[in-house]
Amino acid sequence: MSAFAFAYPAILGALVVLPVIWWLLRLTPPMPKPEVFPPLKILASVLKREETPSKSPWWLTLLRMLLAAVVILAIADPVFNPRVNSLASNGPLVLVVDNSWASAPDWERRVQTADALIGDADANSTPVVIAFTAESTNDAVAGTATAAREKLHAAAPKPLVPDRDRAIQSVKAALNGTNPGTLAFLTDGIASKEKDDAVAQLAALQPAEMRLIEGDGSDTVAITGAANASDNMTVTATRLNGRSPTRLALSAQDNQGRAIAAGSLNFSAGQTVSTGSIAAPFEMRNDFARISIDNHATVGAVHLLDDGFKRRRVALLSGQATDEYQPLLSPLYYIHRALQPYADLVEPDAADLAKSINELLTGNPSVIIMADIGRLPQESYAPLQHWLENGGTLIRFAGPRLAAAPADDPLVPVTLRQGERAFGGALSWAQPQPLADFPSFGPFAGMAKPTNVLVKRQVLAEPTPDLAERTWASLADGTPLVTEKEMGTGRIVLFHVSAEATWSDLPISGDFVEMLRRLVQLSRSGGVTSQASPAKAAEVLPPFRLLNAKGVLVSETGSARPLETAKKGPLLSSFDNPPGLYGSEEGFTALNILPPGAELKPLDASAAGVNVIREGLIGGEAWSAKPLLFFIAFLLLLADSLIVLLMNGALPRMRRTAGGVAKAAAIVGLAFSTAAFLHPVDMRADDSKPGDEAIYSRLDKTHLAYVITGESDVDHISDRGLEGLTEFLTYRTTLEPGPPIGIDINKDELSFYPIIYWPISATAPMPSNEAINRIDAYMRSGGTVLFDTRDALNSLGDNSAPSPNGQRLQAILANLDIPPLEPVPSNHVLTKSFYLLSNFPGRYTGSPLWIEQSQDNSKNKPDRPVASSDGVTPIMITGNDLAGAWAVDENGSPLLPTVPQDETQREYAFRTGVNIMMYMLTGNYKSDQVHVHDILERLGQ
């Protein structure tokens, strides 16, 4: 094969005319010379008889001759490494052609190369055997060059990994022991499997000459994976040639093929696998249907996405206020940490459950997680049930509030036993219980049993015939840990332990992350709306849309078979299942050309055992110098033109002075400055609203607040009672509250007040649902409501008939999500927050003060914790008429007598109010024993 040749060598004969060009260039007129005016000198030059026609500089003449020679050489079209006919004549020509996905970019050159080889065989009357590696069947029987050319032009690249073993077997069968003459393997240069011995198998056919013809391969790249991270999309890709650094542009398209986001992916020198990212908001990333690499039209440069890829929107709700100073005790802390890498988490802005649930549902979440929420607002049940029936997933966690919720809660998957998780009964245990093996059904199937998780408390389910079927996880003693129930096309899942680590070790274990991740993946992607219809996954999915070799989705499915998704291991593309989408418009599964973690590796030809001639494709190996020579000729022509202009004096005439051009551009800013100085703008906008002055006046000091009932006598006693307590606090403590405030719970802001006193009156109007929801949100956000029935109520929930005020209180509490209650224990911080108290009297002494029950309710433990977490009880209930004992007139005299009349009882009633206020402002600080040793040491004890 010659290394250099001319396509039109006859054109070189024009080089003989170069002397003529030299003579013509000598005829160039001389350049005019500028002369001084003297007339005699001009006349002397005019009278000269001999004139020189031209004196062109020799170097300019040489430049122009070089220009003419370059043009003649360009027309002759010099070609480097031209192809010549050199086929072996002692056997048939065998062509094995890779028509795989990687051959799509240079397929036309592959066809031209194979066509040229077939033409050489045709000239020598050599039979041709041709086979394609991406065809399920090959008719490789030796035939004429015309038949081989027809097969070649009928073939096309396929969106498949080549199966070279199958093609080679068909070639062996066609040769039937005959040794090939020239065997040409037109390969894509990529190993089709871990140990690809295709070259060795072809060499075993013992051809007289073996050629390995491949393209450049520098642009071969494929996407092998994509992950929807918390803030962006990560894309993993592999390339064949890793010699030089490369930066690839990524594009994300929606279902309509429109590019909606872009990113990048960088390969450093020597790197063949890299990861890039596409930054986009959550809503936009959920619209991604495919990821592609720009300027790479292959199926490998496209990665299809399905519903399982999309990140779910998960809404979080809690029955307790978040403690910013002790986040580890927050019910949502561990849930947030577990799901943040896998889902987009949203939390409501409002503490009012009625508003927050509606707010979350408008965002179409896939999952709603409720941590220790027992009783929901009545108007929230219907939209939640509708959301569940349309495919939503509700995950609930137990806690004190859920344990105290009614048994007929429709949003609980199983019937729960009433009351607390009391120990010592028939279904209790003496020691914390480990988890049992996960059942073979459910989302946790296949997970190993956690060995470091112990459960100390749980809510118990009533035994039912279907309890075992609804149990996805249980404890070693058989009691359920996780139960579920389907509701419409959605489901309810209940963890029978709390979401923080007080009831069990599950939230602080790695198994908690995996369990929540699997539950979220069960939910519907893209959110749930009222008009959405669920798409149930099928084990066998028909082909829906398939990718062609250039990475374009087409509706023609051809001979593709249904995809069996129930098979173990990753789904792999094959002749039966080409890459594409399998399913239907309601739901589909994406199958890509390469599995996750795949890597492109070059085809190894060293194991052939014979001398393999490596060649390039036509258009890659041979190249023409014509474009380069024409470019050089253009540069020479440009240089000649500039020289002529310079010699004729045109360039000096173009030099002009540019003075006076930059005098007028500095006045615009001065006009603006002058206008602003003469007309200053007052930037202080008055954005005050009606009622702001009253709000500002309540923020200067701590104010005691009471609920306005609408009954003048009750409201008057409340006002004077809190006024009396305010004066007592001012004189006896360092706290100096402002005047008491009467509030309308329907419209006034409640968050300004640490405690709200609510006198219960059966004759007062019943508060609206909106008002109840606002009180519930206030309590959930850290505030406390002191309910006072003013009738010396002895107990709650006993067999005696409640008073009218007690009945009204029960009606109010029926719409509130309150925790379990208990009388103030003897060692509670309320007994020592300021004064040492053993009871909490008002005008009466017969009613206990009820507060939130502590987490550990074992009656036989005198040193049990006095408060859950480090917070304050959100609710207090008494019947001792505290405001009646505190009420004073303008002169400071009591308005109402105590029952029985005893000024000592009134003194203790005031002390009760002081302890309540100190407890509200300092929490359970007085129960902290850290400083006891230092205090006793200072006292000398």
Side-chain angles (χ1 to χ4, degrees), residues 50 59 113 219 234 259 608 697 716 760 849 867:
E50 295 183 0
W59 49 268
T113 303
D219 292 337
T234 59
S697 65
H716 176 69
I760 303 300
L849 180 61

Side-chain angles (χ1 to χ4, degrees), residues 375 707 709 745 758-762 764-769 771-773 775-776 779 785 787-789 804-818 875 877:
R375 185 176 294 155
V707 174
T709 62
I745 59 176
W758 190 337
I760 303 300
S761 175
M766 180 68 183
S768 63
N769 289 335
I772 295 296
N773 292 336
I775 285 292
D776 186 55
M779 296 167 60
V785 179
F787 294 97
D788 194 343
T789 58
N805 287 357
Q807 294 178 0
R808 174 55 60 86
L809 177 61
Q810 289 180 353
I812 294 174
L813 297 183
N815 296 320
L816 291 175
D817 184 21
I818 60 174
I875 183 173
I877 301 177

Side-chain angles (χ1 to χ4, degrees), residues 31-53:
M31 177 183 67
K33 294 182 179 180
E35 295 288 348
V36 186
F37 178 71
L40 294 178
K41 193 172 184 178
I42 296 176
L43 293 175
S45 61
V46 171
L47 294 176
K48 288 183 179 181
R49 296 180 179 180
E50 295 183 0
E51 296 182 355
T52 303

Side-chain angles (χ1 to χ4, degrees), residues 525-541:
S525 61
V528 178
T529 62
S530 59
Q531 298 180 354
S533 58
K536 295 185 178 180
E539 294 185 355
V540 178
L541 301 176

Side-chain angles (χ1 to χ4, degrees), residues 70 183 273 348 352 370 542 618 701 813 924:
V70 169
L183 191 155
V273 178
D352 185 349
M370 294 183 180
I618 287 180
K701 291 183 178 181
L813 297 183
N924 55 11

